[in-house]
Amino acid sequence: MGPRILVLNGPNLNMLGVRQPEVYGDNSYADVVDVCAAAAAARGASVEVRQTNDEAELLGWIHDVARTRNFSAIVINPAAWTHTSVAIADALVIPEIPIIEVHISNVHARESFRHHSYVSPIAAAVIAGCGLAGYRYGVDRAVDLSGA
Ligand code: DQA
């Protein structure tokens, strides 16, 4: 069995396709799942893709990774929590596995409150502004770093 990659998505990403298509594009959340699955399959890896609008649920998922050690890397689009949550950044260091931060839009070309990320300092890589392909690159990099 190849590397197991966990892809986590934060709030409002279930609304892709409906939400500000001029910023996030026309693709749906189901397309995110498909992109991640294809990227993992191309590398002989497996992927699990999750989304939540509940910060506590996301924290619990990260804690479970630390307890069970069942994933070799995490790809995360923390969405708005990127800019607000010390708790998520703190949790992401607990599993001691590579963290890849992905944003669909180029957060640095948007409002100034999106320029700061609590996650970037603990991330092995940060991908922004590549649309859904960012998840493909993120999963690919996560496989590169798995077991590294
Ligand atoms: C986002 C960018 C964030 O600033 C925003 O809050 C999101 C999505 C992105 O994928 O571009 O919800 O993470």
Side-chain angles (χ1 to χ4, degrees), residues 4-97:
R4 282 173 52 80
I5 309 301
L6 179 61
V7 180
L8 298 176
N9 290 283
N12 302 308
L13 291 169
N14 57 313
M15 297 305 288
L16 285 174
V18 175
R19 174 193 188 195
Q20 294 182 280
E22 70 283 4
V23 175
Y24 299 109
D26 295 325
N27 291 111
S28 67
Y29 176 70
D31 295 320
V32 170
V33 177
D34 288 348
V35 165
C36 293
R43 296 291 304 274
S46 63
V47 75
E48 196 168 312
V49 188
R50 302 181 195 160
Q51 188 276 330
T52 182
N53 296 310
D54 177 344
E55 189 172 354
E57 184 170 43
L58 182 61
L59 291 168
W61 288 342
I62 298 165
H63 298 165
D64 286 345
V65 173
R67 284 198 198 91
T68 63
R69 314 211 60 78
N70 51 349
F71 292 98
S72 52
I74 294 175
V75 176
I76 183 167
N77 184 346
W81 295 328
T82 308
H83 319 298
T84 64
S85 182
V86 175
I88 288 171
D90 280 353
L92 285 168
V93 301
I94 302 173
E96 296 183 334
I97 58 176

Side-chain angles (χ1 to χ4, degrees), residues 2-3 38-45 139-141 143-144:
R43 296 291 304 274
V139 168
D140 205 43
R141 186 66 182 147
V143 175
D144 287 345

